[in-house]
Amino acid sequence: MPDQLATESAPPVADGERERLSRMFQQAPGFMALLEGSDHRFAMANPAFYELVGQRALDRQAVADVLPELVQQGFVEMLDEAAASREAVVARGMPLKIERTRDKTEELYVDFVFQPLDGGIFVQGQDVSEDKRNEGLRHAHAAVLEMAVADAPLEQTLSELIRLVEEASRTGVLGSILILDEDGRHLRRGAAPSLPSAYCEAIDGAEIGPCAGSCGTAAFSGRPVFVADIATDPLWAEYKVVALPHGLRACWSTPIITSGRRVLGTFAMYHREPREPTVRDLALVDLVTQTAALIIDRAKARTKSDQRQAR
């Protein structure tokens, strides 16, 4: 166990140092905290740190008492290491599960620096979760494209594309891709790995039109259709009886279009509560629709080629 005598006997941080740190805290873009004593009590924390930990009351509280979920994740162990060695301890992209609200634990990736001071430890860092997620998104996207080039089954490839979005999302999105039938009037199931199968069967073959839910309307108009509340939106007047029993409350649908402006199908993002899309949601929509257009177009061309060879 790390030696903690140094922090137990050390004097508290000097007033001048505390004032200087306080000014730094308020201006810093990243999160900062000053901990004192062998039990690492919060002497100071900036707004970014409070946001990181879900606005919990920290003042004069020990880390292990006020943030118990961090104890088993190595956070306190690194504080002890910094206190015992009197040298800075650095963690890059450290995964942390933090209870941001009473009923929601969020997994974040955080850069930390634990810097020993006279009488305490200065903690600073930043949330790099978005960078990590984007990195994972790039790798997953490359894998999906490799599947398409290898001529994997269309539904399998599209399902992986949807899973990519579902895993990158922080809002519990359920993805669906519908493919416009050769008749140009009906939408057929492409892939929907997380939607209830009964719902997928119910909408398979739905006719497109100017007031045909999110997907049918998007395919008909060639424009995105974002419905924040299925229960009240007039576009879902005839279709909400199918969606609501499955707990589906919002549906944003975007047409999948070729470079020649031909509609191939739709990509939909469902949620189990009414909500509007965020900037990140819209970025994911662009990624999926562009990739899906390439995949579906390639699959259709391959099918036509196979049919010609079979004649």
Side-chain angles (χ1 to χ4, degrees):
M1 178 177 293
D3 182 4
Q4 300 175 350
L5 293 178
T7 53
E8 289 178 355
S9 58
V13 176
D15 290 342
E17 181 78 350
R18 183 188 296 273
E19 183 179 347
R20 184 177 69 85
L21 288 172
S22 180
R23 290 196 300 269
M24 289 173 55
F25 279 21
Q26 298 306 315
Q27 299 170 358
F31 56 78
M32 293 182 173
L34 177 62
L35 307 175
E36 294 180 336
S38 61
D39 56 352
H40 311 303
R41 287 171 284 105
F42 283 94
M44 230 182 285
N46 73 340
F49 197 98
Y50 277 98
E51 183 178 353
L52 177 75
V53 299
Q55 303 297 333
R56 276 176 272 191
L58 303 177
D59 190 41
R60 311 312 306 170
Q61 299 293 315
V63 169
D65 292 335
V66 72
L67 301 171
E69 70 270 26
L70 300 189
V71 176
Q72 299 300 320
Q73 299 182 69
F75 188 86
V76 174
E77 185 178 345
M78 285 189 291
L79 290 172
D80 290 340
E81 180 184 343
S85 68
R86 307 306 298 165
E87 295 182 355
V89 174
V90 179
R92 300 292 184 193
M94 180 179 178
L96 279 183
K97 292 182 179 179
I98 300 179
E99 295 177 8
R100 304 293 288 276
T101 61
R102 182 171 297 181
D103 58 350
K104 181 181 180 182
T105 297
E106 188 170 344
E107 184 169 2
L108 304 175
Y109 293 90
V110 185
D111 284 350
F112 278 115
V113 177
F114 303 95
Q115 178 66 56
L117 302 174
D118 288 340
I121 295 178
F122 177 48
V123 179
Q124 63 178 326
Q126 58 184 338
D127 183 351
V128 296
S129 301
E130 202 66 21
D131 292 340
K132 282 286 187 180
R133 291 190 180 100
N134 288 339
E135 181 183 348
L137 195 62
R138 286 192 295 272
H139 289 309
H141 185 241
V144 169
L145 292 177
E146 288 177 5
M147 291 177 64
V149 170
D151 292 334
L154 180 59
E155 183 173 356
Q156 180 184 348
T157 307
L158 294 179
S159 292
E160 287 303 312
L161 182 61
I162 291 170
R163 289 191 182 96
L164 176 156
V165 175
E166 293 175 343
E167 291 174 4
S169 169
R170 300 169 66 179
T171 57
V173 67
L174 305 172
S176 168
I177 290 177
L178 297 175
I179 299 175
L180 190 62
D181 202 347
E182 292 298 326
D183 65 9
R185 297 174 50 206
H186 299 87
L187 291 170
R188 300 294 179 183
R189 177 174 178 172
S194 301
L195 282 176
S197 57
Y199 176 75
C200 294
E201 292 171 5
I203 64 172
D204 187 23
E207 188 168 0
I208 67 174
C211 191
S214 299
C215 295
T217 306
F220 181 82
S221 65
R223 296 191 299 271
V225 174
F226 298 145
V227 170
D229 191 348
I230 289 174
T232 60
D233 196 288
L235 291 180
W236 281 82
E238 297 182 15
Y239 303 91
K240 62 185 178 182
V241 293
V242 179
L244 295 179
H246 295 286
L248 304 175
R249 291 298 308 273
C251 180
W252 319 325
S253 184
T254 303
I256 299 169
I257 300 176
T258 66
S259 56
R261 304 303 299 171
R262 179 168 55 92
V263 175
L264 295 175
T266 60
F267 167 60
M269 299 173 77
Y270 288 86
H271 285 83
R272 295 193 180 280
E273 69 282 333
R275 64 185 299 271
E276 299 281 353
T278 64
V279 173
R280 179 173 176 79
D281 292 324
L282 297 179
L284 289 173
V285 166
D286 283 344
L287 175 70
V288 172
T289 53
Q290 293 173 22
T291 306
L294 293 172
I295 293 171
I296 296 171
D297 219 14
R298 178 183 172 85
K300 285 180 175 291
R302 188 176 67 246
T303 300
K304 289 180 179 178
S305 176
D306 291 344
Q307 290 173 346
R308 285 195 300 268
Q309 292 178 7
R311 289 173 185 168

